[in-house]
Amino acid sequence: LGFVDEALSLVHEASESGINLRILGSIAYRLQCPQHLHLFGEMQRVLTDVDFAAEKKQNQQIREFFLKKGYVPDEGVYMASEGSRHIYLHPETKLNVDVFSDELFFCHRIPFVGRLSLDSPTICTTDLLLEKMQIVEINLKDFKDTIVLLLEHALGTTGSNEEKAIDTDYIVDLMSSDWGFFYTFTTNLKRVKDYLGEFNTLTESNKDVIRSRIDELINMIDASPKSIKWKLRAAIGTKRIWYQEVSEKASQF
């Protein structure tokens, strides 16, 4: 729990300084799924670092904030990414902090600008689903995290009254304009159902809820009108690489 407590503390203290940090990755899934926290216990997931979303316009304030907290920045990563990514290490706690500014861009782009206000202390449930489903070389823990998220949170629409619902309007809009993201996202989402047996304590009712939410979202994406650019790219398909190739870091969320 040390990592979770530190992540929450950093969001709170940053907020008092006018800085918007939002937790993403494995810690965010735990915070967003309190009703099914026991399922994460079954996974025996080991937390080793904290990942944050932020906006690039606050980069200088963010750097000063972490320096004051005793964190040491990796200047090479900051320079190489042109400020899109910061990495900090605390020499005493050994906690590694990763900050992604304006977007998370591993296999596909997930924008953060204008979206950090949608929820706190983590990114919203919609962006959490996108974060996992954009990984081309997805692994078991990513499927497990997604199963818990889809069990905990209903589907909704932009501006719907259901708090923390997964925004299908936003997802459909993203998928209808980018064939590459559409292909990765829908391929992964369909595969989630294959991993329902990984949790011994999931009831048949639980599994039905997850399957129905997956099917509903897939059907909405498939039924939506696609852009000309999308159709042209779809004609090429997987004969040409449709995603950005990434380092091992992408599988650490």
Side-chain angles (χ1 to χ4, degrees):
L1 280 174
F3 286 119
V4 178
D5 291 340
E6 177 69 358
L8 291 169
S9 175
L10 289 169
V11 170
H12 178 69
E13 288 183 47
S15 178
E16 289 183 331
S17 301
I19 299 166
N20 288 322
L21 290 180
R22 295 291 180 267
I23 303 164
L24 50 94
S26 55
I27 292 176
Y29 271 75
R30 282 161 174 72
L31 293 170
Q32 286 284 12
C33 301
Q35 294 178 54
H36 299 94
L37 207 54
H38 64 281
L39 293 174
F40 293 109
E42 285 185 40
M43 286 191 221
Q44 300 178 319
R45 289 282 306 272
V46 178
L47 303 176
T48 54
D49 55 10
V50 180
D51 300 305
F52 291 110
E55 290 195 15
K56 197 178 276 191
K57 65 184 180 184
Q58 293 196 308
N59 269 1
Q60 192 54 42
Q61 292 165 267
I62 292 166
R63 283 168 60 79
E64 289 169 5
F65 171 76
F66 278 106
L67 286 169
K68 280 182 188 171
K69 296 287 295 177
Y71 283 84
V72 178
D74 185 324
E75 298 294 0
V77 168
Y78 188 77
M79 296 294 287
S81 70
E82 298 180 343
S84 294
R85 186 175 180 186
H86 322 215
I87 293 179
Y88 302 92
L89 178 67
H90 200 290
E92 292 171 20
T93 64
K94 303 302 178 191
L95 180 63
N96 193 76
V97 169
D98 227 320
V99 181
F100 299 92
S101 297
D102 281 359
E103 65 181 8
L104 182 70
F105 185 23
F106 281 124
C107 298
H108 302 281
R109 292 180 190 276
I110 300 171
F112 293 142
V113 177
R115 294 187 60 79
L116 301 185
S117 60
L118 295 175
D119 208 344
S120 181
T122 79
I123 58 173
C124 66
T125 58
T126 309
D127 292 342
L128 280 174
L129 181 62
L130 290 166
E131 173 199 316
K132 292 290 181 178
M133 295 290 95
Q134 60 90 30
I135 303 171
V136 171
E137 294 188 4
I138 192 167
N139 61 37
L140 180 58
K141 66 180 174 57
D142 301 314
F143 284 120
K144 285 183 169 181
D145 283 342
T146 303
I147 285 167
V148 183
L149 187 78
L150 288 170
L151 178 59
E152 182 101 9
H153 297 288
L155 302 180
T157 54
T158 302
S160 66
N161 293 326
E162 181 139 17
E163 193 184 1
K164 296 186 181 295
I166 294 165
D167 185 347
T168 57
D169 290 343
Y170 183 74
I171 292 174
V172 167
D173 190 50
L174 273 183
M175 299 306 140
S176 300
S177 58
D178 182 342
W179 181 84
F181 203 168
F182 159 88
Y183 181 80
T184 301
F185 183 91
T186 56
T187 300
N188 284 337
L189 195 57
K190 288 169 186 172
R191 289 179 65 200
V192 171
K193 291 189 274 190
D194 299 334
Y195 291 86
L196 292 173
E198 293 293 328
F199 288 113
N200 295 326
T201 54
L202 277 185
T203 65
E204 283 308 310
S205 174
N206 291 154
K207 293 175 184 177
D208 287 343
V209 167
I210 295 162
R211 287 191 194 103
S212 67
R213 287 175 179 169
I214 290 170
D215 291 342
E216 185 181 348
L217 182 51
I218 294 282
N219 289 339
M220 293 171 87
I221 292 168
D222 286 342
S224 69
K226 307 299 189 294
S227 66
I228 299 292
K229 180 183 170 188
W230 189 100
K231 291 174 182 174
L232 290 170
R233 184 61 188 83
I236 299 166
T238 57
K239 292 194 288 286
R240 196 176 83 211
I241 194 164
W242 66 95
Y243 59 92
Q244 176 181 255
E245 293 185 273
V246 295
S247 67
E248 181 62 24
K249 172 63 192 169
S251 64
Q252 293 177 15
F253 286 116

